[in-house]
Amino acid sequence: MTAVWSMVCAAVMVACASSPRQVSSPAKLPARFTSSDGPRLPDRWWESFDDQDLNRLVKEALEASFTLRQAWDRLAQAKALARKVGAGMLPDLDAQAGAKAGWSKQGAALGWNVGLVATYEVDLWGRVRSERAAERFAVLATREDLSTAAISLSAEVTLCWFQLLERRAQLSLLRAQRELSVQVLDGVMLRFGVGQASAADVLQQRQSVESLAGDESGVRGQIGVLENQLAVLLGKAPGTFVAPVRDSLPSLGPLPGAGVPAALLARRPDVRGALRRVEEADQRVGAALADRWPRLSLSATIGASGTYGPPALWTWLANLAANLVAPLFDGGSRRAEVERVRAKASEALNKYAQVVLTAIKEVEDALGRERESTRQVESLERQLRLSGQVVGQLRAAYLQGAEEYPRVLDVLIRHQLLERALLAARRERLEHRVALCRGLAGAFPIPAPGKAASRQDPEDAPGRASGRAPGRAPGREPGRALASSGRRIP
């Protein structure tokens, strides 16, 4: 009777420990971002740049990148492990057969036996259910990791493409600047021929032309590196991929709406993945708690055996047994395991809080940087217009003999540097927009290796498979481990 009451009390204690509770937000969120108005960012965020070449490159990368294929492999591993752990909810059924031969005074005899053995662990305290739920949360987290990897890959391809376009535009600009400098050199040579310019003026202008030629060589090297980088991102060997031929940066569209931080956290796969890890760790605490209580196993056997020979006999048997195993002394191993997984759950919660803060910071940083880069581009455009007017006036004055060459050369070099700086500033503004889109982006359908996107299995659609809101998943609800600390998950 005492044993029965002990088991009842144990069941009540584990049930109380397993009761689902909400866990509060680990970090206080702002009510809104500094800029929340604007059009909604499309799921395939790179399409907001209206660049067909970029669209094709990102599509190819999502289909062929080996980095993304590794993420698919990790998802397959997690799903297989979840199926393996989930098998513990079902009985094990084994077939057995055997034969033996013997000799005696009566002669030789051949014995045989066949049978079926079934075993099943009764999940009294929810240990197996908790382990299965933990692995399901792990699958959901890994699926969010895949979405995060896809967003990172698309951003890397976009950044590399914009850098390549800017370098190509710089090369075209340097060629035009060198042609202009050659024209200036011809004018200086003419003036030198009639004694109106010195040899130093000629040498200085030649040095300026050679400097631009050297800059061209450096930019060509950078273009080669970027083309190789883009090839690797697309899953191709450098030298086997030819990037689209273009040297103009796309225009920047309107600033997308950032929305509110709460909506961002529900959309970003890295935040949702971190939350799944919290729920996974919580379920592992439940499994560790249940492991401290007795285990009840059932087994059933049915079979037949017999002999050939003098005398020939056969018989059959059936057996049903129950086995209760209770831990009495383990040197504190199970208690230590509970403490370890509780600390692991707390670590997962703190990591989730850090991911939340980082997500909000990334959006705010991108918003602030784009505002300042827009002002910088506008300032450079005004400077360039004024510089162009100064260059035109000084060149005309120099050809008329009313201006000294060093001043003309200085103004020309400054004008050329402004042209290059403007190109770089426009590329940086695009990069800030990419950072903003990356910070706001949610999951989008990703074609599995060897599958077309339109035929993709819904189970393999990261961020869209479960149809559940963040914080919920199949199996037991979270909350048992972190509830004791009074913290809540949103």
Side-chain angles (χ1 to χ4, degrees), residues 52-276:
Q52 297 305 316
D53 292 327
L54 174 62
N55 295 343
R56 287 192 293 270
L57 291 172
V58 173
K59 180 178 181 294
E60 189 171 351
L62 293 176
E63 293 174 350
S65 169
F66 289 103
T67 300
L68 203 58
R69 291 189 179 191
Q70 294 175 49
W72 277 110
D73 292 335
R74 288 191 291 271
L75 177 59
Q77 295 171 43
K79 293 169 73 172
L81 183 58
R83 290 194 299 270
K84 176 182 176 181
V85 174
M89 297 293 296
L90 301 174
D92 287 337
L93 181 63
D94 298 316
Q96 59 183 20
K100 63 180 179 179
W103 292 265
S104 64
K105 293 180 180 181
Q106 289 79 17
L110 178 64
W112 57 271
N113 65 84
V114 293
L116 296 174
V117 179
T119 58
Y120 178 66
E121 179 183 345
V122 181
D123 194 20
L124 291 175
W125 325 117
R127 180 184 63 82
V128 179
R129 290 194 299 274
S130 292
E131 290 178 349
R132 182 182 64 171
E135 295 303 332
R136 288 185 175 182
F137 280 122
V139 169
L140 295 175
T142 307
R143 186 174 288 126
E144 300 294 354
D145 293 343
L146 173 59
S147 293
T148 302
I151 292 174
S152 297
L153 176 63
S154 59
E156 289 176 11
V157 171
T158 303
L159 289 173
C160 186
W161 174 239
F162 288 164
Q163 290 169 4
L164 178 59
L165 292 180
E166 187 256 340
R167 292 288 88 187
R168 287 175 173 176
Q170 291 282 11
L171 183 60
S172 299
L173 178 61
L174 284 169
R175 287 170 178 166
Q177 290 178 348
R178 184 159 60 89
E179 291 175 2
L180 177 61
S181 294
V182 169
Q183 294 175 9
V184 174
L185 175 61
D186 292 340
V188 175
M189 290 289 292
L190 289 175
R191 289 177 57 82
F192 176 73
V194 295
Q196 295 179 350
S198 66
D201 294 343
V202 176
L203 294 175
Q204 278 187 307
Q205 188 58 31
R206 284 180 177 174
Q207 188 273 331
S208 178
V209 172
E210 288 299 325
S211 176
L212 291 171
D215 291 341
E216 286 183 44
S217 298
V219 171
R220 278 194 293 268
Q222 295 170 3
I223 289 174
V225 170
L226 289 169
E227 288 176 342
N228 293 338
Q229 181 181 343
L230 188 59
V232 172
L233 289 172
L234 270 60
K236 300 180 182 296
T240 64
F241 168 74
V242 178
V245 180
R246 211 179 86 203
D247 62 358
S248 60
L249 290 168
S251 58
L252 199 60
L255 189 71
V260 296
L264 173 69
L265 302 187
R267 184 169 64 248
R268 279 186 53 145
D270 58 336
V271 176
R272 297 190 310 197
L275 180 57
R276 298 300 190 190

Side-chain angles (χ1 to χ4, degrees), residues 167-437:
R167 292 288 88 187
R168 287 175 173 176
Q170 291 282 11
L171 183 60
S172 299
L173 178 61
L174 284 169
R175 287 170 178 166
Q177 290 178 348
R178 184 159 60 89
E179 291 175 2
L180 177 61
S181 294
V182 169
Q183 294 175 9
V184 174
L185 175 61
D186 292 340
V188 175
M189 290 289 292
L190 289 175
R191 289 177 57 82
F192 176 73
V194 295
Q196 295 179 350
S198 66
D201 294 343
V202 176
L203 294 175
Q204 278 187 307
Q205 188 58 31
R206 284 180 177 174
Q207 188 273 331
S208 178
V209 172
E210 288 299 325
S211 176
L212 291 171
D215 291 341
E216 286 183 44
S217 298
V219 171
R220 278 194 293 268
Q222 295 170 3
I223 289 174
V225 170
L226 289 169
E227 288 176 342
N228 293 338
Q229 181 181 343
L230 188 59
V232 172
L233 289 172
L234 270 60
K236 300 180 182 296
T240 64
F241 168 74
V242 178
V245 180
R246 211 179 86 203
D247 62 358
S248 60
L249 290 168
S251 58
L252 199 60
L255 189 71
V260 296
L264 173 69
L265 302 187
R267 184 169 64 248
R268 279 186 53 145
D270 58 336
V271 176
R272 297 190 310 197
L275 180 57
R276 298 300 190 190
R277 297 296 184 193
V278 174
E279 295 166 322
E280 175 195 353
D282 188 46
Q283 293 292 339
R284 298 200 187 280
V285 172
L289 287 170
D291 193 45
R292 300 177 62 184
W293 302 105
R295 295 189 186 185
L296 176 61
S297 299
L298 303 178
S299 62
T301 304
I302 185 171
S305 62
T307 60
Y308 292 107
L313 301 172
W314 74 276
T315 185
W316 66 276
L317 61 90
N319 181 45
L320 179 64
N323 185 35
L324 184 65
V325 178
L328 297 179
F329 179 76
D330 60 3
S333 173
R334 288 178 174 82
R335 183 183 296 275
E337 176 63 12
V338 171
E339 294 175 357
R340 185 190 72 83
V341 293
R342 276 180 171 162
K344 191 77 174 176
S346 179
E347 178 190 3
L349 182 65
N350 290 322
K351 184 176 182 179
Y352 168 65
Q354 187 62 42
V355 172
V356 167
L357 296 179
T358 301
I360 296 173
K361 174 184 178 296
E362 288 175 352
V363 174
E364 286 290 3
D365 286 351
L367 288 170
R369 287 172 178 169
E370 180 164 344
R371 283 195 302 269
E372 296 306 319
S373 64
T374 299
R375 293 170 184 160
Q376 181 185 17
V377 168
E378 292 172 350
S379 174
L380 287 172
E381 288 173 343
R382 290 192 295 269
Q383 294 179 53
L384 192 60
R385 285 195 298 269
L386 295 172
S387 176
Q389 296 174 8
V390 173
V391 168
Q393 293 178 4
L394 287 180
R395 282 188 63 190
Y398 174 72
L399 293 176
Q400 296 172 4
E403 191 60 65
E404 295 293 329
Y405 170 76
R407 187 179 178 193
V408 175
L409 179 62
D410 179 65
V411 170
L412 181 61
I413 291 175
R414 288 177 181 272
H415 181 76
Q416 293 173 342
L417 290 175
L418 276 174
E419 289 178 320
R420 285 181 262 174
L422 179 58
L423 264 178
R426 287 173 175 167
R427 186 256 305 160
E428 289 178 0
R429 185 172 60 169
L430 285 168
E431 290 180 350
H432 296 324
R433 175 62 62 86
V434 171
L436 177 60
C437 293

